[in-house]
């Protein structure tokens, strides 16, 4: 916390670095920067600063380091695990004023962006070049924030996650020093960190606990020539997953495979007045040239049929594709509409594909047994699925049942060689689960890295790793 | 019927850029600033390409008036599916003073030269917001106009059009040849893909000067001054309705 004389001295240092307008003590501004889109309550920082360039970030970090003030980086606030809560107060670094797209190299398929640039902003910027950045976590998140949480998304089965697509980072460390994880200005074509330790992927997913990401260099892809979307119903979860596995094994470079369970389909039918058969359903999307699409769709259709799939429909033009995928697009709202007045919270685990049918079946039994509403949607190509828990926020008993359910689900995933967080990160709520997932030696290695880079535990304290509080 | 459509595309400052006024107040900063095709022109190109894909027209010709860089905008239109381009070279002071009246004279001359059946334009440009070029071009050619189009369908030698107007949607039927200006909801423009950008490099762009078309680009308008809008003042909170009335009276608003 910042008190008295230190407050005045620190605040005046902040103001001399980023200007009068660049420092805010306003209650509304602090609250806005103390919460994200998760269920975790708001934990506002003591002050919010708005640096305009990496030099200012570095200077501000030095002040915080000198006075032992916690530092919490903030991008767009669209996280889902409470990562931006200032657990011990401190200084929130709101990076939204650093919003430049720098150094686009279309022939090398790379671009460097600052933290204020969001996914949609970048793709709009790139639209005339024929390139795009395909990692799509749903929200219009800051790309540097996506690097910090190692975001994934519906396209991961074909294009990978942030981990595969971040080539270089510029990071400000706890003491204000600035590091370029692959060397300054370097843009190696394939995996980063060919020289020495892989620093880039150390910071990807570090959720602000090791440094502040001020630039990220991203790998770009060609915009697909054409897209085809398809839908298919299955008699069982097993049949849907088998079709997914076989499609991948057949070498079809499928772009998206989304799974909706029968409860979710029913909700979507009611919400959007559709008439999908109420049974496990796969939504597929294919990218490629006209000829390759024909082949991809044919192969996928044959596979689904051999697994008992029915009502296989596909479409090429935008309007019909959107209509086919409408259920998947509206899933969140359809889930909420099941119980008006309630809030929705998304669970997030991932297991090897072979275990997916089992975990979904067991999870559905758990939901029914505990009288919980949790339609299921998943990025089945990676073994990742979400239960959209629809819960009454004013009913503490139900909230508690949901909390216990989520823990059982995470443990069920861990028991099946999976992970407790599919794509949302560890943040605040999954620290204990991380210990179970990694084991004591794994956690100790992580803690050693943390101690080496941030011995005073100033960088986003209370996230990822639990620390014994004195 | 030639089956040829002329599409006007304008190079403007990209919609996502924060505009800054030049210190001498003569205009806005354009140097080093990202430019792209006017969003309404993108919609016009998309509509023309869709008509060609439906085989209702035969050729899409993209036209842009401006300096050398306008050719990049024409290339984008070619990557979206236009067949060839015409770059009307206007630069320097002439370009700074180029406005709807001169552009419409150029388009009218080109329409005659190319024997165009249809002219498709964006309803307005996002830099000057004039919303005049389409209407002026139609007047110069004495052609019917379908402006603010949100739906277009060809029926023989006539066009059925839905226009977005203040009161709602207006359905009209006009003869061809005609001028149509595209409104926001007409379509969603496609992205240029890499293979199409490659193909576009091989398509032809011809450069002409306004004088070649018999057009004088001298402007009848002179920009005196460009200023930023007034800065937004801080608001204030009041505790009661009585306080609010007092403050409004003080400010002379009541």
């Amino acid at each position: 916390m910042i008190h008295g004389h230190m407050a005045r001295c620190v605040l005046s240092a902040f103001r001399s670095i980023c200007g009068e307008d660049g420092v805010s003590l306003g209650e509304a501004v602090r609250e806005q920067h103390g919460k994200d889109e998760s269920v975790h309550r708001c934990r506002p920082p003591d002050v919010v600063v708005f640096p305009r360039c990496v030099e200012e970030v570095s200077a501000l970090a030095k002040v915080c380091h000198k006075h032992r003030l916690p530092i919490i980086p903030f991008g767009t606030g669209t996280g889902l695990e409470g990562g931006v809560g200032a657990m011990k107060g401190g200084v929130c670094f709101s990076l939204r004023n650093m919003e430049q797209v720098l150094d686009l190299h279309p022939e090398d398929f790379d671009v460097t962006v600052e933290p204020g640039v969001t996914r949609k902003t970048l793709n709009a910027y790139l639209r005339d070049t024929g390139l795009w950045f395909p990692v799509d976590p749903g929200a219009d998140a800051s790309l540097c924030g996506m690097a910090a949480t190692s975001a994934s998304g519906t396209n991961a089965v074909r294009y990978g996650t942030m981990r595969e697509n971040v080539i270089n980072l510029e990071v400000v460390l706890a003491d204000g020093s600035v590091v370029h994880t692959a060397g300054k200005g370097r843009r190696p074509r394939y995996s980063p960190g060919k020289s020495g330790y892989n620093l880039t992927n150390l910071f990807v997913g570090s959720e602000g606990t090791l440094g502040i990401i001020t630039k990220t260099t991203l790998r770009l892809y060609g915009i697909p020539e054409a897209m085809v979307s398809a839908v298919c119903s299955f008699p069982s979860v097993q049949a849907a997953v088998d079709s997914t596995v076989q499609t991948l094994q057949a070498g079809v470079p499928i772009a998206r495979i989304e799974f909706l369970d029968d409860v979710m389909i029913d909700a979507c039918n009611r919400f959007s007045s559709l008439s999908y058969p109420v049974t496990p359903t796969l939504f597929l999307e294919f990218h490629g040239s006209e000829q390759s699409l024909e082949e991809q769709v044919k192969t996928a259709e044959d596979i689904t049929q051999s697994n008992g799939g029915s009502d296989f429909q596909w479409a090429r033009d935008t309007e019909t594709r959107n209509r086919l995928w409408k259920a998947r697009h509206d899933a969140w709202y359809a889930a909420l509409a099941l119980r008006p007045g309630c809030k929705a919270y998304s669970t997030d685990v991932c297991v090897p594909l072979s275990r997916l049918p089992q975990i979904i079946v067991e999870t559905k039994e758990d939901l029914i047994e505990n009288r919980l509403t949790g339609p299921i949607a998943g990025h089945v190509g990676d073994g990742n699925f979400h239960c959209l828990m629809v819960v009454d926020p004013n009913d503490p008993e139900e909230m508690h049942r949901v909390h216990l359910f989520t823990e059982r689900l995470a443990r069920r995933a861990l028991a099946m060689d999976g992970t407790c967080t599919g794509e949302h990160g560890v943040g605040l709520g999954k620290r204990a689960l991380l210990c179970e997932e990694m084991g004591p030696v794994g956690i100790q290695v992580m803690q050693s890295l943390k101690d080496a880079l941030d011995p005073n535990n100033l960088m986003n304290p209370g996230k990822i790793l639990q620390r014994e509080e004195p | 019927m030639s089956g040829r459509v002329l599409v006007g595309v304008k190079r403007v400052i990209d919609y996502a850029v924060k505009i800054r006024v030049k210190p001498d107040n003569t205009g806005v900063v354009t140097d080093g600033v990202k430019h792209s095709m006017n969003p309404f022109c993108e919609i016009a190109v998309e509509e023309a390409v869709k008509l060609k894909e439906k085989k209702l027209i035969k050729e899409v010709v993209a036209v842009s008036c401006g300096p050398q860089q306008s050719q990049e905008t024409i290339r984008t239109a070619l990557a979206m599916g236009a067949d060839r381009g015409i770059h009307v070279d206007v630069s320097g002071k002439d370009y700074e003073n180029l406005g709807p009246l001169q552009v419409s004279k150029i388009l009218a001359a080109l329409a005659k030269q190319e024997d165009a059946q249809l002219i498709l334009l964006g309803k307005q440009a996002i830099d000057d917001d004039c919303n005049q070029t389409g209407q002026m071009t139609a007047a110069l050619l004495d052609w019917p106009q379908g402006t603010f189009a949100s739906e277009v369908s060809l029926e023989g030698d006539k066009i059925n059009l839905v226009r977005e107007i203040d009161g709602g949607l207006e359905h009209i039927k006009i003869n061809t040849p005609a001028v149509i200006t595209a409104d926001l909801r007409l379509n969603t423009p496609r992205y240029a893909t890499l293979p199409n950008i490659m193909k576009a490099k091989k398509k032809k762009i011809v450069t002409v000067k306004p004088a070649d078309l018999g057009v004088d680009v001298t402007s009848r308008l002179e920009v005196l001054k460009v200023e930023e809008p007034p800065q937004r003042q801080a608001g204030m909170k009041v505790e009661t309705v009585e306080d609010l009335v007092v403050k409004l009276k003080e400010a002379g608003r009541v």
Side-chain angles (χ1 to χ4, degrees), chain A residues 127-128, chain B residues 37-47 80 187 189:
Chain A
R127 69 192 188 283
D128 293 337
Chain B
M37 189 189 292
N38 180 41
F40 294 106
C41 299
E42 286 179 346
I43 297 173
V45 173
E46 175 66 27
E47 197 61 22
M80 285 171 73
N187 59 49

Side-chain angles (χ1 to χ4, degrees), chain A residues 99 124-125 127-130 224, chain B residues 14-15 18 34 36 42 192 197:
Chain A
E99 47 174 3
Y125 184 97
R127 69 192 188 283
D128 293 337
T129 59
Chain B
D14 188 84
Y15 72 84
K18 280 206 181 82
K34 181 170 204 273
S36 52
E42 286 179 346
I197 291 175

Side-chain angles (χ1 to χ4, degrees), chain A residues 356-388:
Chain A
L356 198 60
Q358 183 189 352
I359 194 173
I360 289 182
V361 167
E362 285 180 21
T363 304
K364 283 166 78 73
E365 280 166 7
D366 191 339
L367 286 166
I368 294 172
E369 215 177 284
N370 289 283
R371 297 166 290 119
L372 293 168
T373 316
I376 294 177
H379 317 310
V380 128
D382 334 313
N384 179 218
F385 73 97
H386 306 287
C387 297
L388 304 190

